[in-house]
Amino acid sequence: GPIDVSYWENVATQAHVAISRTRLQERHQQITKKKDFVARSKAALEGKKGKELFPSTFNNKKKKKEEKEETSGSGIVIVKKDNPVDQCEQEYEDMCYTPIRHDTIETDALIYTESKISREIEEMRAQIAVIKKSSKEKTEQERDLNVEERGLALMGDATEDEELFNCDIQLDTTYSWADKYKPRKPRFYNRVHTGYEWNKYNQTHYDQDNPPPKIVQGYKFNIFYQDLIDPTSTPTYKLKKCPEDKDFKILTISAGPPYEDIAFKVLNREWEYSNRYSFKSQYSQGIFQLWFQFKRYRYRR
């Protein structure tokens, strides 16, 4: 399943706290040992009345104490603070400083440094980003499929007079919002409605066994806009003349960012705008539907 980022970030924070607590405990033990050692050393010096506790350095220390130190009746050493170097040496001798031995760390112990923890966190975040990206892509694909299935359900099953019409025209358009949102083409599912026109001329020259050629009688456009930046905006359409062929017009549908405008080449005929002829122009739940039929004219001699 997906990795819980907040959980692992909390673990990393607690790891820092645990490391700090361990270091404080070690430091506390060191100070306690030093104080215990100082107390035992003073007791040994008082019991042996000045005998050498550290033979290798006792003579030098004795000379320095005679020159720069005064001893009170209770045995407490009073250091003259005129020379900071002497003060540091005296503090060093009193505290019996001993460096920490690094070889006391177990060979199989896990040592965590700040850089190592940061690196592991970055690796986990990278893994989570990849998982989130794949999950997002999968979710978007499932959502697109659901939208398309809903669009197909609204259109109903195709009849024998309907055919797919999914050929759009490439537009050379620039968008003012292209620097903020990446333009992309919307998905669509269209049908063209064809049939026989039994006007007087066709009734005279054709029959049911020898029907006339089918003609385009209308279109059904279904454009999917499920990711509009402004969900309150409504897609619009417009018609303009086709410069290459006067028998056709260019139908352009616009919705807004992040979708590009999309255009189709349709017949240049008059539309029926009545509900009686199944005209529809609506936008609902991320689907823009534009359905229309062409007007039919009676044949006259």
Side-chain angles (χ1 to χ4, degrees), residues 109-224:
L110 295 177
I111 302 177
Y112 287 92
T113 61
E114 184 176 356
S115 59
K116 183 177 181 180
I117 294 174
S118 300
R119 184 170 62 254
E120 290 181 354
I121 291 175
E122 292 298 328
E123 291 176 355
M124 286 190 292
R125 285 177 177 172
Q127 294 176 0
I128 292 170
V130 173
I131 294 172
K132 280 188 174 181
K133 183 178 180 181
S134 61
S135 177
K136 182 180 179 181
E137 292 176 352
K138 184 178 179 180
T139 303
E140 289 179 352
Q141 291 176 357
E142 292 176 352
R143 183 187 56 185
D144 292 342
L145 291 175
N146 292 334
V147 172
E148 291 183 8
E149 290 176 357
R150 191 166 67 250
L152 293 175
L154 293 173
M155 289 185 67
D157 297 332
T159 64
E160 59 180 7
D161 294 331
E162 292 182 344
E163 298 179 5
L164 289 177
F165 180 67
N166 291 331
C167 299
D168 61 310
I169 300 174
Q170 188 68 31
L171 297 176
D172 186 13
T173 308
T174 57
Y175 305 94
S176 58
W177 44 263
D179 55 341
K180 190 174 182 180
Y181 307 104
K182 183 179 180 181
R184 60 178 177 178
K185 183 181 294 186
R187 302 169 69 90
F188 55 86
Y189 187 85
N190 307 329
R191 290 178 186 171
V192 57
H193 180 73
T194 61
Y196 303 113
E197 188 172 1
W198 293 104
N199 51 34
K200 291 294 184 180
Y201 178 85
N202 288 342
Q203 290 177 12
T204 304
H205 295 84
Y206 299 97
D207 54 28
Q208 295 293 337
D209 297 330
N210 183 27
K214 283 187 175 182
I215 62 172
V216 175
Q217 296 180 341
Y219 297 92
K220 290 183 178 180
F221 293 95
N222 299 270
I223 319 297
F224 305 114

Side-chain angles (χ1 to χ4, degrees), residues 20-36:
S20 302
R21 187 183 292 112
T22 303
R23 290 177 178 172
L24 286 173
Q25 291 176 353
E26 292 176 353
R27 182 62 179 166
H28 176 71
Q29 292 175 0
Q30 292 172 7
I31 295 173
T32 304
K33 289 180 180 179
K34 289 177 183 178
K35 289 183 176 180
D36 183 59

